[in-house]
Amino acid sequence: MRVLKKFPRPNTIKGQLHRALVWITFIIGLCIFIPTLYIEYRQTIQHQNEEMTQYLDAQTYFFESWLSERSSDIHTIANLDFVKDYNFEKSQAFFQDFKEKTDFTDLIFVNKEGIVQFDTVTEFSATGVGVGMDVKDRKYFQAAKKTKQPYITDILISKVTKKPILAFASPILNAQQQFNGVVFGAVNLDTIDQLLHESRVGFLGQAYIIDQEGTMLTEFNHKQQRSSGNYLVDEHILNAAKKSDLELYKDANNKRVLAKSKPINEGKWFIISEMGLLDAYKPLIIRILWITLCLVVGSFFTIKMMLHLSKKIEEPIQQLLTGVRKVEQGFYDYQIDEQQLAPYAHEFQELCSSFNEMSAKVKTDTILLKELSITCQLTKLYNRRYLIEQGELVFQKCLEEQNYCSCIAIDIDFFKKVNDTYGHLIGDEVLKHVANIITNSVRRIDIITRYGGEEFVILSPNTTLESAVKIAERVRKHVEHHPYHVDDVEINVTVSIGIAGYGHSKNISTFYELLDKADQALYIAKESGRNQLRVCDHTGKVDTSQML
């Protein structure tokens, strides 16, 4: 019986190439995977750091602007003549009306002895809980009395509502600049939470604000342990907030998060943004999974196929990466040439088309968001934020060029009666009707804004007070002579107008003072019978003796 010998399989070039391809693929895969993992991780951390920094910058700008506006509101009220003169009847009416137009939940008048004269929560109640209350031990009263400057408190418990609040205080100074009391406005923490939530665009994490002691000024979804009536964060969160670097720790819900902070309110508070690790690393995990899958699948192909595919993949990916970088740099209108990707796989063409659509949509949405932030959607006029931002710039330019600058404040007379009689839909149409008349009655250089409710403000650069009076009278007459018609109903509309101008009054040196004087003149016009003009004279006082 012949025994068949088993000869070893020949060590062929094909086998060597196969083994070499396996090892080469494996080594190349490791060489690609490990550095890619490290680079992707570093880029993810850097991207999250940049995203959180941008988010904090936006939140800080938004919140600091809000604090400045509210502090300016209280300071303006404290400098009103009837407030300084302790005219409580007029002050109470003004406080109540002003509160309804702002974020304040309560406005309080405190005399120089620290006794509450009235507030907008209790002044019309039967009990009058807050009236007569002694608040001279409050820090805001002591700070306003000592520094004679506006002051913003940390979180405190209201003696009237027994709820945690922030207080914006401003001293009342008499003609000799002596302390004569305090006006302060209270804001609930829910309002601050809502402000932070409304300014959150495209961010997956959450943000909250703490003071130097770790007391939370906002809540969001945190399950904080309450101590002495306040919400306190853990010590490690407070220490991380003071560093202002990207930190990894466990949040109040015992979940690991990436966090970054930034000081606000002159360093008195910190705004903290936190993002869960899963949300932060999800893009990295997805990219790593795809890379791993591609390496595993690619290991089954020959070097020739890998080279062929690499050419087919590399160029369109580079096009897309270039597009992504352009968009990241702010070139939202960047478009990839679809003709260059025509020879490649259909998926890349779809990605190119989707990228181009996304780029166009991002550009459109960016323009729309900017327009929405400065425009009243009902009247299509600029809103109060735009007036505050641009008004100061326009006024400063007039100061530098030594030109006149006038401000016209307009209020629709008895607008509440229109809403009550015809409904809010008709009231909105009346607002648009008046806005169109104002727009057609002024010049192109005039800045027209809907200041709030039924009040409009016209800022007229390079305009004397006399010219502003002519503009205002033209607006008043056009509104009076052009009633609003709906179906068979005619609604007669009139406006009251207050005018102030830089160049005549020595008491006007800032845009806010100009706006305040126009508002005071408007108030006198309404008190004097409406459908008329009132103007500040050369001393800065409101002329109540005649209608211009």
Side-chain angles (χ1 to χ4, degrees), residues 265-460:
N265 193 18
E266 299 179 352
K268 297 178 182 178
W269 303 339
F270 298 96
I271 182 170
I272 303 173
S273 68
E274 295 177 349
M275 178 180 289
L277 282 186
L278 181 60
D279 291 330
Y281 291 148
K282 186 176 181 180
L284 173 64
I285 295 172
I286 294 175
R287 288 196 293 268
I288 294 303
L289 289 176
W290 276 108
I291 292 172
T292 303
L293 179 62
C294 291
L295 288 175
V296 171
V297 173
S299 299
F300 295 95
F301 293 92
T302 63
I303 294 294
K304 182 178 180 180
M305 182 63 68
M306 291 172 59
L307 292 174
H308 178 72
L309 291 177
S310 66
K311 183 179 179 181
K312 292 291 184 181
I313 294 174
E314 181 183 27
E315 293 183 3
I317 287 180
Q318 188 60 45
Q319 291 278 356
L320 291 170
L321 286 175
T322 300
V324 170
R325 293 192 186 100
K326 289 292 185 181
V327 172
E328 185 179 10
Q329 294 170 2
F331 299 98
Y332 301 121
D333 56 348
Y334 181 83
Q335 297 284 297
I336 299 175
D337 187 357
E338 297 186 21
Q339 295 297 325
Q340 294 184 1
L341 297 182
Y344 300 103
H346 180 67
E347 288 79 4
F348 287 117
Q349 297 177 33
E350 289 185 348
L351 281 174
C352 171
S353 178
S354 298
F355 174 86
N356 289 340
E357 291 178 2
M358 178 197 69
S359 176
K361 189 174 186 303
V362 168
K363 180 183 178 182
T364 302
D365 290 347
T366 301
I367 295 173
L368 178 60
L369 284 173
K370 184 176 180 180
E371 180 180 350
L372 288 174
S373 69
I374 63 173
T375 306
C376 167
Q377 295 306 296
L378 176 65
T379 61
K380 305 306 179 183
L381 299 178
Y382 290 119
N383 59 17
R384 177 174 180 170
R385 176 181 293 180
Y386 181 85
L387 177 66
I388 297 303
E389 292 177 354
Q390 295 298 317
E392 186 65 28
L393 299 177
V394 171
F395 187 82
Q396 288 299 324
K397 184 176 180 181
C398 290
L399 283 179
E400 293 171 0
E401 297 177 356
Q402 296 184 350
N403 285 329
Y404 290 93
C405 186
S406 296
C407 183
I408 304 172
I410 304 171
D411 190 271
I412 301 176
D413 295 332
F414 305 110
F415 183 71
K416 183 178 184 300
K417 184 177 180 181
V418 175
N419 280 333
D420 293 342
T421 305
Y422 302 100
H424 288 277
L425 293 179
I426 297 299
D428 289 346
E429 293 301 319
V430 171
L431 277 173
K432 291 193 288 185
H433 172 72
V434 173
N436 289 333
I437 292 176
I438 294 174
T439 302
N440 295 328
S441 302
V442 301
R443 307 163 307 175
R444 296 183 62 182
I445 64 171
D446 297 327
I447 299 175
I448 314 168
T449 61
R450 183 187 176 191
Y451 195 67
E454 64 271 22
E455 185 174 351
F456 302 86
V457 172
I458 303 172
L459 182 63
S460 299

